[in-house]
Amino acid sequence: SQTIHQWPATLVQPVGSPLSLECTVEGTSNPNLYWYRQAAGRGLQLLFYSVGIGQISSEVPQNLSASRPQDRQFILSSKKLLLSDSGFYLCAAASSYEQYFGPGTRLTVT
Amino acid sequence: QKEVEQNSGPLSVPEGAIASLNCTYSDRGSQSFFWYRQYSGKSPELIMFIYSNGDKEDGRFTAQLNKASQYVSLLIRDSQPSDSATYLCAVWMDSSYKLIFGSGTRLLVRP
């Protein structure tokens, strides 16, 4: 079975600072990878997904970007954080139709 | 019309009762359906998936799919306070390799 790692678990960053969140997957090859954001009390918002190395699809135009430098590594970045970037960031992986989530990173932008 | 719709709740049931969670979807071509459970402050956990019309049972959980009515449901028998969580319905989109999630139904099981 696959295991999804995300770090850090929590993060407090000032407005205007950069961001880098990493997700790695174990136990599967060539998964589809996803970044979601969940604002407090809200539903899941798909930010990016990737079906292969270097292949990134963006769902929502914003100041975030994603990269997939290796098969099982997915990175979410920002050059300058906004207050509205606060939320629970979730990485997910799917090798078939079944999609599994990592533990998430809770980001607070102050 | 949203692609996947759920009643936000909360749905409150007494301990030991059957909780029935419902979801409708708009894409008639959808083939794969999923239920996730999300405890407060935690990430979603996949608990059931169903691909064929009819019922699929796993322990206390039963997923029901009716493609003609574009309706999928999750029944939780003998509900426990530990079942209190938000339940997310999701539909797989073959054309774009992604899940479309509903906004979730909050379930409260009263002791």
Side-chain angles (χ1 to χ4, degrees), chain A residues 32 34 36 38 42-44 46 49 51 59 88 90 94 96-104 106, chain B residues 32 34 36 38 40-46 49 51 88 92 94-99 101-103:
Chain A
N32 293 341
Y34 305 84
Y36 291 86
Q38 190 173 39
R42 305 294 295 274
L44 292 170
L46 179 63
Y49 67 98
V51 299
E59 289 292 298
F88 192 33
L90 292 156
S96 58
Y97 298 127
E98 295 149 41
Q99 184 173 292
Y100 296 91
F101 287 86
R106 192 163 303 280
Chain B
S32 308
F34 303 84
Y36 288 80
Q38 186 175 24
S40 180
K42 301 296 186 181
S43 62
E45 173 192 9
L46 178 63
F49 54 88
Y51 304 144
L88 301 167
W92 177 256
D94 281 331
S95 59
S96 57
Y97 304 101
K98 61 184 181 183
L99 280 176
F101 282 87
S103 55

Side-chain angles (χ1 to χ4, degrees), chain A residues 11-94:
Chain A
L11 190 60
V12 180
Q13 292 282 98
V15 169
S17 64
L19 174 73
S20 180
L21 300 180
E22 186 166 346
C23 169
T24 58
V25 181
E26 293 179 353
T28 188
S29 297
N30 196 31
N32 293 341
L33 297 175
Y34 305 84
W35 278 113
Y36 291 86
R37 178 171 61 201
Q38 190 173 39
R42 305 294 295 274
L44 292 170
Q45 179 186 30
L46 179 63
L47 302 175
F48 300 95
Y49 67 98
S50 171
V51 299
I53 295 174
Q55 299 179 62
I56 308 294
S57 296
S58 174
E59 289 292 298
V60 182
Q62 56 208 331
N63 68 321
L64 299 172
S65 62
S67 62
R68 184 172 179 174
Q70 299 181 46
D71 180 45
R72 290 173 289 176
Q73 184 185 28
F74 205 22
I75 297 172
L76 182 70
S77 304
S78 174
K79 292 182 179 178
K80 289 186 178 181
L81 285 169
L82 306 173
L83 284 174
S84 58
D85 291 323
S86 293
F88 192 33
Y89 286 81
L90 292 156
C91 177

Side-chain angles (χ1 to χ4, degrees), chain B residues 50-103:
Chain B
I50 186 166
Y51 304 144
S52 304
N53 269 332
D55 295 0
K56 178 182 178 183
E57 188 174 316
D58 183 1
R60 294 187 297 114
F61 298 100
T62 299
Q64 299 176 316
L65 174 61
N66 184 325
K67 291 184 180 179
S69 299
Q70 295 175 246
Y71 179 95
V72 58
S73 63
L74 179 70
L75 302 179
I76 306 175
R77 290 183 299 282
D78 188 25
S79 294
Q80 301 296 309
S82 58
D83 295 325
S84 297
T86 296
Y87 289 80
L88 301 167
C89 172
V91 178
W92 177 256
M93 302 293 287
D94 281 331
S95 59
S96 57
Y97 304 101
K98 61 184 181 183
L99 280 176
I100 304 299
F101 282 87
S103 55

